[in-house]
Amino acid sequence: MSDKPEDVRGDIDPTASPIDQFAAAQHSRRNIMKWGSLLSAMSMTGVLAACGNDDDPLPTPTPSPTPTPTPAASVQVSSFGLAVLPDTQFYSRYATEGTGNQFKRLYGSEPYLAQTQWLAKNAAALKIPFVIHVGDVVDQVGVEEQWKVADTAMKVLEDAKLPYSVVAGNHDVRSDAGYDSARPDVGTDADRNLADEPYLKWFPTERAARQKTFGGRHRSGFHEYHTFEAEGQKFLVLAMSWRTSKAGIIWAQNVLNANPTLPCILVNHELLGIANDAVSPLEGDYGKMLWENLIRTNDQIFMTLNGHIHGSSRLTKKNDFGNDVLEMVVDYQMAYQGGNGLMRFYEFDLTNNKIHALSFSPWVPQKPKDTLNAFDQAMLTEDNHQFTVSMNFAERFKRFAPTFKAAAASNLSLTAATTKMIMDGFTAVPVPPAAPAASAEDYVKIAGTTAHWRFYGGTNGAAVPVGQVIADASGGNNPLKRAALNVPATNTAQASDLTWSDDHHYLSAAPGSVVFSNTSNAPRLSYFLTDVAAQMNDDAFEQGYTIEAFVKIAKDWTATNNAWMNVMTRGGRRDAIPGWSGSYGDSPPIQFAVSNLREIQWEVPSFTAAGPVRSRTAWSGEIIVDRWMHLAFVNDPVAKTITMYIEGAPVLRNAVDAVGLPNNGLPWVVGAGASNLASPGGGFLGAIGEIRIVPKPLLPAQWLTARAPK
């Protein structure tokens, strides 16, 4: 098989999930990974991005504040609002003409534009003097159509005279280099061809200077600062793009030195991360560098904001002056529909010394009611999305701004007003309770199932014996068997590289799983495969299919050791398929894999398109490690679509013009790739609980996550 050396996301033909499948999703449960995972889709992917540092120990955070009730709407206060636009990359990508503007086609509107239009309309009522964009404006830096979408959305703010700051995220620059403390300027503003950076074309200094709040930019054009006034007080926003150079940090320090009395909000694309539990804060190397070199020694910086890491979390730290610095990360791109229009609003209540945070979507209430499903949440109410933090502003700022004080109370609660604006007239689709299985047989059986493999039965922690058979629970004749350790001949695997586990997804009726300890780029490989005479080796699935799996990626996954690892493949090469014309012909004809960006890949040849046979691919976003997820791939033979679902939610990047699967008569392989059965590779690292293959499309109520009829 081919170990693909780079992300090939731009080579696919993405399209929206069919609307009828979206409607069917209302019968499923809410994504337990919430919006931090999927969505790695939704991974939706506490989430840590691939460029974060999984090895950093968890900090000891200040305990999360207890959520407080919405401030009384009848009591006047002195307060103002601050709006934050988290990563908009998928809004820009899938609102282009090249993707058929899937948002407008399905809903008559699009999320990025809905966000800025809502802000322009309501900024005065909510006393919003400024808007912050945390970066990843687009998804693919070289695609001009995506920049046009972003340009149109942000121009709405400009036309409304609503000032904003913007920074370049890693997707907005030509070089997406990770932070290396040994080479701190690699991939930074000091390491770019400024004449060849689209961000500087679409958001040049001249455009930023039209904001009435604009103070200046770094000579590279990638960092900027603004000052805005609210409630008679001035604030500084220091907005720094992806990978700041040493010179960029010196510039930031000079800005602070030139504005010594202003409380500062520091904006970066990356700063604070999120641990694997989707809630706890996690400090990575780059964030620690910014803390050491800029934040802790500047008392003015009382708050930081960043995106990049999927989900929401916060951490309070003490600076060198013994004062609190509130660090917050918010990014919903891996939620349903690429973020579903979710954004963040902060009310700074100067009267009561509180910061109230809301996470909501102005787009969801705009959607036609017949398109709504259980993933369409207009307001997120979990503790990490909606919270209140105490901050005595005058006390916190007295060292550098001794005259800071609240203005006379003149407005009612902006938090209450925002909630009313979003929720009035909106009725969410009820979320059916997710019910764990009462027994190992408490799931929906489907007549005609091709194969159903349930990976349990041994002693927890014990090795799965070589030759162990995983029965076909559907009653068919398609069992799996653990392969010999000497295939390929260079294999260094041990019997203990496959072990039984009692761990399983909470909605799986199978009370266990098998843990795989493989690497994708080295000869260490343990896997299962069907018999050469198995009936399913010849199935073409001409009536479509539903393939489900319960999968958990190991917490020690790395792109270096595990990129393009396979959950399941079908033996053989795709270039052996008659009429094949496409890239990566030495890859298996069916590939259920995990990319170098930790995305789920479902790739199969198309048999229905006019002309040559080419691959059709559905992609997730970045997936959380060490977290169980239910995956489903549904091929509708009438619509000729393949829709990937993660934890019940359809992902954005699905496939069209495809029916069935190639039937080359070769075995199916679980835990490895096998374009050459004599020399498999791409071994899986993690756990697999169940895999079921059904030769027709199923609705969520028929999936393994549903309980057996009473």
Side-chain angles (χ1 to χ4, degrees):
M1 78 173 270
S2 170
D3 288 331
K4 302 178 185 179
E6 59 184 21
D7 177 24
V8 296
R9 294 178 300 177
D11 299 333
I12 66 173
D13 180 15
T15 186
S17 303
I19 221 168
D20 56 340
Q21 303 244 17
F22 285 173
Q26 65 183 289
H27 300 295
S28 68
R29 72 253 170 253
R30 180 181 296 181
N31 179 354
I32 60 165
M33 294 183 202
K34 298 311 293 182
W35 312 104
S37 161
L38 261 176
L39 318 148
S40 199
M42 282 190 160
S43 81
M44 156 166 337
T45 125
V47 206
L48 187 63
C51 44
N53 190 338
D54 287 333
D55 297 326
D56 285 337
L58 289 177
T60 302
T62 298
S64 297
T66 301
T68 60
T70 299
S74 60
V75 178
Q76 286 199 328
V77 296
S78 168
S79 71
F80 67 92
L82 189 68
V84 178
L85 295 175
D87 306 41
T88 55
Q89 61 195 74
F90 288 142
Y91 305 152
S92 295
R93 178 169 180 168
Y94 293 105
T96 66
E97 293 306 315
T99 59
N101 195 336
Q102 76 165 35
F103 300 119
K104 186 168 288 187
R105 178 169 63 85
L106 290 172
Y107 307 108
S109 60
E110 53 195 70
Y112 199 168
L113 200 57
Q115 289 177 326
T116 56
Q117 287 174 338
W118 187 89
L119 286 170
K121 177 182 178 181
N122 296 298
L126 297 175
K127 300 178 70 174
I128 300 173
F130 198 73
V131 177
I132 291 171
H133 194 308
V134 298
D136 273 0
V137 179
V138 301
D139 191 47
Q140 296 167 302
V141 63
V143 180
E144 186 167 291
E145 291 297 316
Q146 295 179 29
W147 289 104
K148 290 180 180 179
V149 172
D151 172 67
T152 299
M154 298 306 285
K155 190 174 184 300
V156 170
L157 300 182
E158 296 167 3
D159 291 345
K161 307 300 182 186
L162 180 55
Y164 67 86
S165 66
V166 63
V167 298
N170 56 302
H171 283 260
D172 302 322
V173 296
R174 294 289 192 187
S175 175
D176 183 7
Y179 175 68
D180 184 349
S181 60
R183 299 184 302 162
D185 273 353
V186 172
T188 69
D189 51 81
D191 191 31
R192 294 175 189 144
N193 178 358
L194 302 183
D196 188 38
E197 289 289 347
Y199 175 82
L200 299 179
K201 170 188 173 183
W202 289 95
F203 291 93
T205 299
E206 295 78 14
R207 182 172 187 173
R210 292 197 291 267
Q211 312 289 325
K212 65 182 180 181
T213 56
F214 180 72
R217 269 195 176 185
H218 180 252
R219 62 177 178 266
S220 69
F222 279 104
H223 320 304
E224 63 188 50
Y225 78 93
H226 296 254
T227 59
F228 68 85
E229 186 170 332
E231 298 300 282
Q233 305 294 329
K234 284 189 175 181
F235 292 82
L236 171 67
V237 174
L238 189 52
M240 305 177 72
S241 288
W242 178 256
R243 295 294 178 252
T244 305
S245 65
K246 291 181 180 178
I249 292 177
I250 292 172
W251 170 85
Q253 185 63 61
N254 288 337
V255 170
L256 290 164
N257 294 344
N259 297 274
T261 64
L262 300 187
C264 178
I265 298 170
L266 177 65
V267 181
N268 284 267
H269 181 58
E270 180 193 11
L271 197 156
L272 183 65
I274 306 175
N276 293 335
D277 63 3
V279 176
S280 300
L282 180 69
E283 295 185 279
D285 288 343
Y286 186 70
K288 291 176 182 177
M289 183 277 292
L290 289 173
W291 174 263
E292 291 298 322
N293 290 282
L294 185 64
I295 302 170
R296 71 175 181 86
T297 57
N298 284 285
D299 198 26
Q300 291 170 254
I301 301 175
F302 73 98
M303 178 175 173
T304 72
L305 294 171
N306 69 277
H308 185 56
I309 309 298
H310 320 313
S312 175
S313 188
R314 63 193 183 277
L315 175 66
T316 299
K317 299 182 70 174
K318 295 288 186 183
N319 64 17
D320 283 1
F321 308 92
N323 289 324
D324 287 348
V325 179
L326 177 60
E327 297 184 346
M328 288 180 286
V329 53
V330 58
D331 172 14
Y332 295 117
Q333 74 189 56
M334 291 307 179
Y336 174 61
Q337 288 293 295
N340 218 19
L342 289 163
M343 55 179 288
R344 175 64 59 82
F345 174 81
Y346 294 104
E347 180 181 9
F348 290 75
D349 182 346
L350 305 183
T351 299
N352 296 302
N353 290 313
K354 304 285 187 184
I355 300 175
H356 305 290
L358 291 178
S359 295
F360 62 88
S361 171
W363 185 51
V364 167
Q366 295 181 20
K367 290 184 178 182
K369 290 185 177 180
D370 62 355
T371 69
L372 298 177
N373 61 55
F375 293 95
D376 285 305
Q377 301 296 311
M379 186 80 67
L380 303 185
T381 58
E382 294 81 7
D383 294 354
N384 59 320
H385 301 298
Q386 182 177 131
F387 55 88
T388 294
V389 176
S390 295
M391 181 172 288
N392 187 323
F393 298 101
E395 180 68 21
R396 173 63 180 82
F397 303 155
K398 70 178 183 180
R399 183 179 175 278
F400 57 87
T403 62
F404 188 98
K405 64 178 181 180
S410 61
N411 59 272
L412 301 178
S413 166
L414 303 176
T415 302
T418 302
T419 302
K420 181 176 175 60
M421 285 179 182
I422 295 297
M423 299 305 295
D424 268 10
F426 175 74
T427 302
V429 174
V431 181
S439 70
E441 298 302 313
D442 190 9
Y443 65 96
V444 179
K445 276 79 169 179
I446 304 296
T449 293
T450 300
H452 184 190
W453 303 311
R454 313 183 81 197
F455 297 89
Y456 74 94
T459 301
N460 186 53
V464 177
V466 174
Q468 172 72 45
V469 172
I470 304 296
D472 179 358
S474 71
N477 188 28
N478 294 300
L480 287 174
K481 183 169 68 174
R482 182 178 180 182
L485 297 179
N486 61 351
V487 179
T490 56
N491 197 357
T492 61
Q494 304 296 313
S496 58
D497 286 347
L498 282 186
T499 56
W500 301 106
S501 173
D502 293 339
D503 188 25
H504 61 97
H505 190 289
Y506 86 115
L507 291 178
S508 171
S513 60
V514 165
V515 177
F516 294 72
S517 299
N518 292 324
T519 55
S520 64
N521 63 348
R524 180 181 173 187
L525 197 66
S526 292
Y527 57 97
F528 297 91
L529 73 168
T530 60
D531 187 79
V532 292
Q535 180 180 345
M536 66 180 295
N537 296 348
D538 292 308
D539 287 346
F541 298 89
E542 295 173 346
Q543 301 305 309
Y545 55 81
T546 299
I547 296 178
E548 298 178 76
F550 291 104
V551 173
K552 181 168 76 170
I553 297 173
K555 63 182 178 181
D556 51 348
W557 183 99
T558 67
T560 300
N561 293 325
N562 309 110
W564 304 108
M565 68 182 189
N566 295 273
V567 179
M568 182 174 70
T569 59
R570 199 168 195 172
R573 295 166 55 112
R574 65 184 64 172
D575 58 10
I577 299 169
W580 169 258
S581 177
S583 57
Y584 303 111
D586 57 345
S587 292
I590 297 172
Q591 199 149 18
F592 176 6
V594 179
S595 78
N596 60 323
L597 298 183
R598 214 165 65 217
E599 305 156 310
I600 299 298
Q601 170 198 22
W602 175 258
E603 187 171 352
V604 297
S606 165
F607 293 94
T608 60
V613 175
R614 297 182 183 274
S615 287
R616 293 292 182 262
T617 312
W619 294 93
S620 78
E622 188 175 25
I623 296 296
I624 283 184
V625 299
D626 199 30
R627 179 64 60 95
W628 279 104
M629 58 188 166
H630 172 261
L631 303 170
F633 311 106
V634 180
N635 178 214
D636 182 337
V638 177
K640 298 179 181 178
T641 57
I642 303 171
T643 303
M644 180 192 302
Y645 296 84
I646 299 185
E647 290 296 301
V651 304
L652 272 169
R653 297 179 292 171
N654 287 300
V656 295
D657 199 21
V659 175
L661 298 171
N663 57 327
N664 57 11
L666 295 177
W668 292 65
V669 182
V670 173
S675 54
N676 181 350
L677 288 168
S679 184
F684 180 72
L685 180 70
I688 299 175
E690 296 186 75
I691 296 177
R692 185 169 73 172
I693 303 172
V694 178
K696 62 181 178 181
L698 300 179
L699 293 175
Q702 300 169 293
W703 292 349
L704 291 170
T705 51
R707 303 285 64 94
K710 300 300 182 184

